[in-house]
Amino acid sequence: MREDNNIPAERAGGVLCIDLTALQNNWKQLAKMSEPAECGAAVKAQCYGIGLDESVKALSAVGCKTYFVALPDEGRQVREAAPDAIIYVLCGLLSGQAKFYEKYDLRPALATPTQVSEWQEFCKTQNKKLPAALHIESGINRLGLTETQTRLLAKQTDAFAYFKLTLVMSHLACGDTPGDLKNEEQRQKFDQMRALLPDVPASLSNSPGAFLGRDFAYDMVRPGIALYGGNPFSDRANPMTSVAHLYAPLLQVRDICAGETVGYSATWTAKRDTKIGIIGAGYRDGISRALSSPASNGPACVFVGGHYAPIVGRVSMDLITVDLTDIPEEFQHEGQKVELMGRNITVDDIARWSGTIAYDVLTSLGSRYARVYSGLESC
Ligand SMILES: *Cc1c(COP(=O)(O)O)cnc(C)c1O
């Protein structure tokens, strides 16, 4: 994200302020809660769109040692930001990738018998006992060895002779709903399968799982979304602090008469004489087209001078239009700063308005903002 994003604030469509102190505090909160289990960090997809380099450095500075990425190349980026980190690559190991893993000291989360053989063979030929995790499937039916495959592996006399098994992991399907019975089913299945394997550290929980209590923490939790300020629950208030704050100025303010329409396809008609503000961010910038009025759980809003203003008409590629009529006049001018995401317009509000989840909102933010990594005072 960083590479394609060195736009200075004065030429960008908006400013995305990443509050690294909030990120660090979120990690510390999760780490304390999970003790004595270790708290790692899921930093895939450029830390959910927030920026990998800065975030990993900030997390390392407060004591985070273990990182989970999706792809080997993301692992390389973590290695560059945090030379001493332990890095697991969740998408496993494809044929021919082992050398890259070794070069950057990345640990594959081996998820199929083929991947296990590939790593065994590579370690054998290198004559090095390289570390790896074993990803086992406990009920989400995505990546991971089945119980039968795990049994077969456990029966091989030299199964763990050539590589070093450092973590056994699985992933929850319903952690965001603490009362769901599937959580306990998966936990029990995880225990049964773990019992077949060498006694090494175990990890089951993502962000919501980290809130399910001691039985779900095992030796390591792997939060992602909660670090970045998203609500780990689908049915409770958010215990985390917002990290991504997005601001953009009003580009123009125009008066229209009752009966006039705004935007593509003229989908919104003014019911009264209306003051319309135009903001230079659109769906290319992660302002989902689903926020167009009428949004399903809307109205979707922005926050101007202490007041909420609804988005009216279609969200287009580069622009949104908002109704400023009820905002005090002193804030209805070109250049007025508008909050598109932050303390007042939370990432979870945006997700709800656009019919998606905070993960999707953050990872869609795009590359046309100036990114400022620090406290909020500089935004
Ligand atoms: C993404 C991911 C996580 C982090 O999940 P959050 O819900 O963002 O906390 C943890 N484990 C695995 C396997 C993942 O893919």
Side-chain angles (χ1 to χ4, degrees):
M1 206 57 71
R2 181 104 172 116
E3 294 85 339
D4 62 355
N5 201 308
N6 294 316
I7 309 176
E10 63 275 16
R11 296 207 302 273
V15 179
L16 183 61
C17 289
I18 306 299
D19 185 348
L20 294 176
T21 308
L23 173 71
Q24 290 174 321
N25 288 338
N26 284 340
W27 185 83
K28 286 194 243 175
Q29 181 184 336
L30 290 160
K32 190 156 201 301
M33 199 178 75
S34 306
E35 273 171 5
E38 182 184 341
C39 185
V43 296
K44 58 203 186 192
Q46 306 300 316
C47 291
Y48 293 34
I50 282 188
L52 183 143
D53 189 49
E54 296 79 0
S55 302
V56 165
K57 284 179 180 157
L59 290 168
S60 297
V62 286
C64 183
K65 294 186 169 57
T66 305
Y67 296 86
F68 295 85
V69 293
L71 298 173
D73 205 64
E74 295 174 344
R76 175 189 59 76
Q77 290 176 56
V78 176
R79 175 64 62 223
E80 281 161 11
D84 300 328
I86 291 171
I87 304 166
Y88 287 99
V89 181
L90 295 167
C91 284
L93 179 75
L94 295 184
S95 174
Q97 291 179 336
K99 258 199 142 8
F100 189 88
Y101 278 80
E102 188 202 5
K103 179 168 178 197
Y104 292 100
D105 189 10
L106 309 176
R107 304 182 178 187
L110 304 169
T112 71
T114 310
Q115 293 184 8
V116 174
S117 308
E118 177 96 8
W119 197 241
Q120 286 170 329
E121 285 307 310
F122 182 75
C123 290
K124 224 191 276 187
T125 50
Q126 300 290 307
N127 199 19
K128 282 183 193 151
K129 224 175 156 180
L130 300 170
L134 211 55
H135 196 160
I136 58 181
E137 163 45 40
S138 60
I140 191 171
N141 278 321
R142 294 197 323 189
L143 292 175
L145 294 167
T146 64
E147 185 173 348
T148 311
Q149 291 168 336
T150 306
R151 278 185 196 285
L152 280 172
L153 177 68
K155 276 197 199 127
Q156 283 178 20
T157 47
D158 57 355
F160 304 104
Y162 304 108
F163 72 95
K164 188 169 169 206
L165 183 64
T166 52
L167 187 72
V168 174
M169 60 168 286
S170 191
H171 193 49
L172 293 171
C174 302
D176 63 341
T177 320
D180 198 304
L181 295 177
K182 192 159 179 86
N183 293 320
E184 181 57 21
E185 277 172 30
Q186 280 197 262
R187 195 185 70 78
Q188 290 183 15
K189 178 90 187 192
F190 186 54
D191 281 346
Q192 284 164 20
M193 289 174 73
R194 253 174 7 104
L196 303 169
L197 296 165
D199 186 16
V200 301
S203 177
L204 178 62
S205 286
N206 55 350
S207 303
F211 286 87
L212 290 177
R214 184 67 218 116
D215 285 352
F216 284 81
Y218 291 91
D219 303 294
M220 166 92 66
V221 293
R222 320 182 294 267
I225 194 69
L227 296 175
Y228 311 114
N231 192 348
F233 304 114
S234 58
D235 59 356
R236 301 185 189 179
N238 190 353
M240 312 315 297
T241 308
S242 60
V243 171
H245 301 252
L246 177 59
Y247 305 97
L250 293 175
L251 300 178
Q252 188 171 9
V253 177
R254 66 187 323 115
D255 292 299
I256 63 168
C257 297
E260 285 194 72
T261 65
V262 172
Y264 281 124
S265 304
T267 55
W268 186 84
T269 305
K271 291 198 177 71
R272 54 178 177 174
D273 292 352
T274 301
K275 184 99 46 194
I276 295 291
I278 297 123
I279 301 167
Y283 56 74
R284 170 61 179 93
D285 310 296
I287 311 297
S288 167
R289 200 160 172 280
L291 295 171
S292 301
S293 65
S296 46
N297 301 299
C301 290
V302 300
F303 196 73
V304 194
H307 299 264
Y308 292 90
I311 294 178
V312 295
R314 290 260 165 92
V315 171
S316 51
M317 188 185 295
D318 318 304
L319 298 171
I320 53 174
T321 35
V322 299
D323 181 351
L324 298 176
T325 318
D326 297 328
I327 305 291
E329 220 177 300
E330 59 180 307
F331 304 115
Q332 299 175 338
H333 60 85
E334 262 178 67
Q336 167 65 42
K337 177 173 158 181
V338 177
E339 177 189 317
L340 303 180
M341 181 192 299
R343 289 217 179 87
N344 305 291
I345 306 286
T346 70
V347 63
D348 297 294
D349 289 334
I350 297 171
R352 195 178 63 255
W353 292 329
S354 51
T356 186
I357 52 177
Y359 304 68
D360 187 17
V361 174
L362 289 176
T363 56
S364 300
L365 282 170
S367 56
R368 295 201 295 186
Y369 302 119
R371 289 178 180 237
V372 176
Y373 292 88
S374 63
L376 291 181
E377 53 300 335
S378 41
C379 291

